[in-house]
Amino acid sequence: MTQLDVTDAPSEGELAAISEGLTAFNAADVGPSKRRSLAVLIRDESGKVIGGVSGYTAWGWLFTAWLFVPETLRGQGMAGKLLEAAEAEAVARGCFGAWIDTFNPQALKAYQRQGYAIFGELPDFPAGRSRFFLQKRLLPS
């Protein structure tokens, strides 16, 4: 008998079962994703990572999952530099587009300055704010 098990602590193996099943389904449906992690790291003088951008490339797109600039480096165009570096690597991998999402008004402006355009909005995520979804076409240099 099939059962549903709700948990807030799935094991690595349980998550892998979902991931592997979905990956196989999608590969059969639209072809392999060629998914590869991508990170651009900000390091301090000692070499410690203090910020950066993290995401992946798949199906010709760069997805930026996390972008963090430490307080001491904000207002200096660092977000733009991180995105430019990630985008350049994505183009080198054959990507033609990039997407990102945010509910932070300052980040939204920074992404728009980098050429990202809003393609979707989810109101009240979190409450009182909107989560914006942005995309950008990437051009080979």
Side-chain angles (χ1 to χ4, degrees):
M1 179 169 118
T2 303
Q3 69 180 44
L4 300 179
D5 181 14
V6 177
T7 179
D8 65 352
S11 72
E12 298 260 340
E14 292 164 335
L15 293 175
I18 297 167
S19 174
E20 290 165 10
L22 183 59
T23 297
F25 175 85
N26 285 339
D29 186 37
V30 297
S33 70
K34 299 180 183 172
R35 181 177 173 142
R36 289 176 58 195
S37 293
L38 193 157
V40 180
L41 309 173
I42 304 170
R43 295 185 186 272
D44 68 10
E45 311 78 40
S46 70
K48 178 183 172 191
V49 174
I50 58 171
V53 63
S54 172
Y56 61 85
T57 56
W59 287 300
W61 283 81
L62 163 65
F63 170 62
T64 298
W66 297 336
L67 189 153
F68 175 72
V69 176
E71 185 73 37
T72 57
L73 297 176
R74 292 182 191 158
Q76 302 173 34
M78 184 58 73
K81 292 174 186 172
L82 290 167
L83 288 170
E84 286 173 9
E87 291 165 7
E89 176 60 22
V91 168
R93 294 180 184 189
C95 291
F96 53 84
W99 73 281
I100 193 168
D101 65 270
T102 187
F103 54 79
N104 181 283
Q106 289 79 28
L108 176 62
K109 290 176 188 171
Y111 302 154
Q112 289 175 312
R113 279 193 301 271
Q114 288 303 120
Y116 285 76
I118 296 170
F119 71 87
E121 178 182 354
L122 183 60
D124 285 325
F125 189 89
R129 291 220 183 151
S130 285
R131 183 172 220 127
F132 291 96
F133 298 85
L134 301 100
Q135 68 178 342
K136 177 181 180 178
R137 284 293 180 186
L138 301 178
L139 304 172
S141 31

